[in-house]
């Protein structure tokens, strides 16, 4: 594939997409390393961190599915695995007998905190490799670009 800019100095969008994908791969690899060292799958980590960041460290299964981009069946499997490991529990909703909450246990909170700390440190090491101001500039530019592209996605 030709990455040279066409006339008018436009940068091919596929090149930008590949660069953004590579950046995501580097960040995800750092997060994955923290997950693996804790004996977790990527989905386990997503669920633990979603719960860790939620009020009272609890969410409904549907909210977990949405937050972690998992199917309802996939979410159920992760919840069951984390329950068996002692990291989460399910409790009935006091106001709606048909609904449940998934909540971190104390062990789950400690594990989520540890994984988050490890992943954050790995991300910081990645950012430290960038020249000063680059991360902030990339963040600002990507936010602007995605704002424009997302607004026009349905057109």
């Amino acid at each position: 594939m030709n990455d040279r800019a066409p006339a008018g100095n436009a940068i091919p969008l596929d090149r930008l997409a590949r660069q953004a994908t590579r950046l995501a791969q580097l960040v995800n690899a750092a997060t994955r390393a923290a997950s693996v060292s804790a004996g977790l799958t990527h989905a386990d980590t997503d669920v633990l961190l979603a719960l860790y960041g939620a009020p009272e460290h609890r969410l409904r299964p549907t909210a977990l599915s949405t937050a972690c981009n998992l199917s309802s069946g996939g979410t159920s499997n992760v919840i069951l695995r984390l329950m068996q490991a002692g990291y989460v529990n399910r409790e009935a909703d006091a106001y709606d007998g048909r609904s449940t909450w998934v909540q971190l246990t104390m062990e789950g909170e400690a594990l989520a905190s540890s994984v988050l700390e490890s992943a954050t440190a790995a991300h910081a090491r990645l950012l430290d490799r960038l020249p000063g101001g680059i991360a902030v500039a990339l963040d600002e530019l990507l936010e602007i670009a995605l704002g424009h592209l997302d607004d026009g996605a349905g057109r």
Side-chain angles (χ1 to χ4, degrees):
M1 180 166 285
N2 183 1
D3 284 338
R4 292 180 49 205
N9 294 326
I11 297 173
L13 194 54
D14 62 332
R15 178 177 174 207
L16 290 175
R18 283 194 312 276
Q19 290 171 324
T21 298
R22 182 63 184 135
L23 177 60
Q25 289 170 340
L26 291 168
V27 172
N28 288 338
T31 304
R32 192 169 35 259
S35 299
V36 168
S37 70
L40 301 170
T41 67
H42 178 74
D44 294 341
T45 300
D46 282 353
V47 167
L48 285 174
L49 294 181
L51 290 168
Y52 190 72
E56 299 180 40
H57 300 308
R58 69 182 195 160
L59 289 169
R60 297 187 189 280
T62 304
L64 268 175
S65 293
T66 301
C68 300
N69 198 26
L70 294 170
S71 67
S72 61
T75 302
S76 293
N77 290 338
V78 173
I79 291 170
L80 180 60
R81 189 168 52 246
L82 293 175
M83 283 177 59
Q84 290 170 342
Y87 299 133
V88 302
N89 59 41
R90 285 185 97 136
E91 57 185 53
D93 186 314
Y95 302 104
D96 182 355
R98 300 166 296 160
S99 185
T100 62
W101 291 96
V102 179
Q103 183 164 2
L104 287 177
T105 63
M106 288 177 60
E107 293 84 4
E109 286 182 38
L111 180 61
S113 176
S114 174
V115 169
L116 181 60
E117 184 178 315
S118 179
T120 300
H123 297 163
R125 287 190 297 274
L126 281 175
L127 287 173
D128 286 346
R129 293 165 49 189
L130 294 175
I134 293 294
V136 171
L138 280 172
D139 177 55
E140 291 170 355
L141 290 171
L142 284 170
E143 186 172 340
I144 292 167
L146 291 171
H148 286 282
L149 293 173
D150 282 344
D151 287 345
R155 295 181 201 166

